[in-house]
Amino acid sequence: MFLLLLKCPRGKLPFSPPTSFSTSYRFASSTPRPSHKRNTQAGITTPLPESAASEKVRSPFYFDTGYALFAKRPSRPFPPPFLSPPSGSFSEPLSTHDRSRDRRSYVNGEMIRGITNGDDAVLVEENFIGANDGVGAWVTRERGHAALWSRLILHFWALETERALHRLNGSPPDSVAYLQKAFESTEEATTSPQWHGTTTACAALLHHTEHRSSNEQLSCQPVLFVTNLGDSQIIVLRPSSRNVLYKTTEQWHWFDCPRQLGTNSPDSPNENAVCDEVALEEDDIVIAMSDGVPDNLWEHEIVENVMQSMHALKNESEVRTGSQAARNTSGSGMMWVAEELVKAARIVAEDPFAESPFMERAVEEGLAIEGGKLDDISVVAAVVGGPNARTDYHINTTPEFFYQYRGSMLLRVVDSSAPEPFRDVSIREGELFLLPPNTPHNPIRFADTVGIVVEQPRPEGSVDKLRWYCQECRGIVHEASFHCTDPGSQIKDAVNAFVEDEALRKCGHCGTVCDTVPRGIVQP
């Protein structure tokens, strides 16, 4: 006899879907929930084996990421053979308690990617993010381990995606097929010895499409492939318009019993997973989260929370990430965005008298449930970045400080005092460069590089300029001026206006139409 163990209301484990709900109602306690000390865990990316970086297919676009996690109860350690505990007692001659050992989990000789959060699991990489929600009720069953299932599904999914990207040859990725393969690999890995569990699955793959214009210029557009099975959620936001571009649709068998992969579940990726393709722009925001967020916050609250956090980062407000001050640098800012969202969801989850989306749905189903839903809360926040490859030269009345953290960049400058005014400055990994004020400069960044630029707040009345030079005669083609208050938006608006208007791009000295993509770029 096989037991179908699915995620069901408040941890109940029915053997079949209920035809009607009981008329006996359960109300929230009049006393607050006990407050156990639970800390939020946060980071930028989840660990990767050293060999993974060299195996990745590089894309012009990438995620700047951060994640935050809150577990309603500590995660259980993985069992052998995924994690090998020391053998024997301290006093036995053959004991291994006195030896250093790797506490990371492994499967098939490879480190298991991602991080476990209670029964959830998240995986955060530069082009792939995911949040799976393991069914916690398996903890009551012999050889039940939902966290193992949620983590293994993500691990094999990321591996299969990496391998497949090498074989695409211009065709779009098939994320559902990759998930199906991950599901089969997880089943195989948990067969001997047997470990039971079920999990939802939700992940986003950042890819790109290529277009060649009439003048043979090649341009790339970021595109997101979102795959979902169950009730974890991915939401895509555009900060410039504060619009929700996309949100996954929950998949349920019945109330609080989502579709899920694993032991005795009738669901499978090939039959039930949904993959959507979402056209993106740079600076769009992608949030992957387990149901601990949407069960406690309505959509407009999620959007408002993320937009407020991004606004604080844009204004260079000092924010707090754990115990350290952080500013809007690559990754650390998005970690703070994720922490703020987890914090908001946790406040409702731990309040037995709060109104929540979960409570509202329960009431609609005839269940008298009050308060938030105390659950594992997992959030991955990512902003879409891409190579900086513009033709404009920025003129700032204050100095700028460049530090190249990873990889190398090219800084094109115009020094009017030099015999050859136009020159290239290479800034390699670990190097610093101080740019004098009022120096026209064109920073060019490449994929898989990270650099930091420190600028001073602009004095009142100061004017920044963007200047375009003709690639043939080197005359000034166009110039845009503004008092710099929001450099990201102001520069983007000026560049877009120049690119979209051929009249602005036509050189008044020689008639050449100015390039919109730099020529002859070679990474230092």
Side-chain angles (χ1 to χ4, degrees):
M1 177 179 176
F2 293 95
L3 172 66
L4 174 61
L5 184 60
L6 295 174
K7 181 177 182 180
C8 301
R10 297 291 183 178
K12 298 178 184 177
L13 304 172
F15 296 101
S16 59
T19 55
S20 63
F21 288 100
S22 169
T23 56
S24 61
Y25 300 128
R26 179 162 71 93
F27 293 87
S29 169
S30 59
T31 58
R33 291 172 181 155
S35 178
H36 303 292
K37 188 174 181 180
R38 309 181 187 94
N39 295 322
T40 299
Q41 180 183 0
I44 296 176
T45 58
T46 51
L48 276 175
E50 293 181 2
S51 59
S54 61
E55 296 170 359
K56 284 185 174 294
V57 174
R58 298 302 176 191
S59 168
F61 303 97
Y62 56 89
F63 283 137
D64 271 339
T65 57
Y67 67 86
L69 314 170
F70 165 75
K72 65 180 178 182
R73 59 173 175 261
S75 300
R76 297 169 60 205
F78 283 179
F82 306 101
L83 181 66
S84 298
S87 61
S89 67
F90 286 100
S91 59
E92 290 179 357
L94 298 180
S95 170
T96 60
H97 277 279
D98 62 330
R99 301 177 191 172
S100 298
R101 62 190 180 95
D102 190 346
R103 296 189 59 84
R104 292 173 295 185
S105 303
Y106 286 81
V107 61
N108 300 337
E110 296 182 279
M111 186 185 80
I112 301 178
R113 302 188 185 188
I115 287 182
T116 307
N117 176 45
D119 294 305
D120 289 357
V122 299
L123 190 143
V124 189
E125 299 180 3
E126 66 180 24
N127 69 333
F128 186 84
I129 61 174
N132 287 1
D133 181 8
V135 178
W138 282 103
V139 74
T140 65
R141 302 288 168 166
E142 185 178 1
R143 307 197 72 80
H145 207 306
L148 178 64
W149 268 82
S150 62
R151 179 89 168 270
L152 285 177
I153 289 281
L154 271 180
H155 165 79
F156 287 120
W157 198 356
L159 278 182
E160 188 59 31
T161 300
E162 275 183 19
R163 294 170 185 144
L165 290 179
H166 286 280
R167 308 188 299 263
L168 286 182
N169 295 323
S171 57
D174 187 350
S175 291
V176 172
Y178 310 154
L179 178 56
Q180 178 67 35
K181 179 64 175 175
F183 175 45
E184 294 167 0
S185 297
T186 302
E187 284 186 310
E188 182 179 348
T190 55
T191 298
S192 181
Q194 193 168 52
W195 289 97
H196 306 303
T198 48
T199 180
T200 65
C202 192
L205 169 64
L206 180 61
H207 199 54
H208 66 279
T209 56
E210 296 182 349
H211 305 279
R212 194 171 294 277
S213 64
S214 56
N215 60 356
E216 294 302 307
Q217 285 192 344
L218 187 67
S219 63
C220 295
Q221 175 77 21
V223 61
L224 195 70
F225 290 87
V226 181
T227 306
N228 181 53
L229 188 149
D231 63 350
S232 290
Q233 192 172 106
I234 286 178
I235 187 169
V236 182
L237 309 175
R238 180 154 293 163
S240 58
S241 60
R242 301 176 70 91
N243 286 341
V244 177
L245 298 184
Y246 171 83
K247 186 180 75 169
T248 52
T249 301
E250 295 171 322
Q251 297 178 321
W252 284 359
H253 288 283
W254 60 88
F255 172 66
D256 203 27
C257 182
R259 293 194 180 276
Q260 54 207 263
L261 302 174
T263 311
N264 299 331
S265 172
D267 304 320
S268 71
N270 282 343
E271 294 296 325
N272 306 110
V274 174
C275 182
D276 294 315
E277 185 176 335
V278 185
L280 298 178
E281 296 178 0
E282 289 187 44
D283 298 327
D284 284 347
I285 300 168
V286 183
I287 306 291
M289 49 197 166
S290 63
D291 65 344
V293 178
D295 277 346
N296 289 295
L297 298 176
W298 277 276
E299 180 182 311
H300 72 274
E301 294 178 310
I302 296 172
V303 173
E304 186 63 26
N305 183 281
V306 173
M307 289 296 101
Q308 286 180 355
S309 297
M310 294 301 297
H311 179 72
L313 293 174
K314 268 195 170 184
N315 289 339
E316 296 185 338
S317 306
E318 188 175 89
V319 299
R320 291 281 166 184
T321 305
S323 60
Q324 298 179 347
R327 286 187 179 271
N328 190 12
T329 59
S330 176
S332 63
M334 297 312 295
M335 178 167 62
W336 184 70
V337 172
E339 284 183 301
E340 290 298 293
L341 188 54
V342 168
K343 186 190 303 181
R346 180 178 175 181
I347 290 172
V348 178
E350 294 182 321
D351 186 350
F353 307 110
E355 293 185 358
S356 67
F358 182 81
M359 181 193 76
E360 187 176 87
R361 296 187 194 111
V363 171
E364 290 174 353
E365 298 290 342
L367 297 173
I369 294 175
E370 289 184 330
K373 183 184 180 186
L374 186 59
D375 200 355
D376 299 325
I377 302 173
S378 304
V379 172
V380 180
V383 61
V384 179
N388 187 343
R390 308 194 314 259
T391 56
D392 62 277
Y393 284 74
H394 180 207
I395 304 173
N396 181 358
T397 58
T398 63
E400 295 187 17
F401 175 82
F402 290 80
Y403 169 62
Q404 196 61 18
Y405 175 75
R406 186 174 70 200
S408 57
M409 68 164 290
L410 191 66
L411 186 65
R412 291 186 156 175
V413 300
V414 180
D415 183 359
S416 56
S417 64
E420 293 291 336
F422 291 85
R423 64 188 182 94
D424 293 346
V425 177
S426 299
I427 307 176
R428 294 179 171 82
E429 186 171 310
E431 293 184 346
L432 308 172
F433 182 79
L434 181 62
L435 181 76
N438 296 307
T439 302
H441 59 284
N442 171 225
I444 298 175
R445 300 190 181 276
F446 303 91
D448 196 35
T449 64
V450 177
I452 297 173
V453 182
V454 180
E455 300 183 10
Q456 295 179 3
R458 304 300 196 269
E460 186 176 350
S462 67
V463 176
D464 279 47
K465 296 178 181 178
L466 292 186
R467 180 180 293 169
W468 285 265
Y469 294 90
C470 177
Q471 65 263 21
E472 299 297 333
C473 70
R474 292 302 192 182
I476 297 175
V477 175
H478 177 65
E479 198 169 82
S481 303
F482 51 88
H483 175 62
C484 189
T485 56
D486 183 357
S489 298
Q490 290 173 300
I491 290 176
K492 183 177 181 180
D493 291 344
V495 170
N496 287 342
F498 180 78
V499 170
E500 293 167 4
D501 190 342
E502 187 171 324
L504 293 180
R505 305 203 312 272
K506 189 172 183 178
C507 178
H509 304 283
C510 66
T512 301
V513 176
C514 188
D515 288 337
T516 57
V517 178
R519 298 181 183 180
I521 300 299
V522 178
Q523 185 170 359

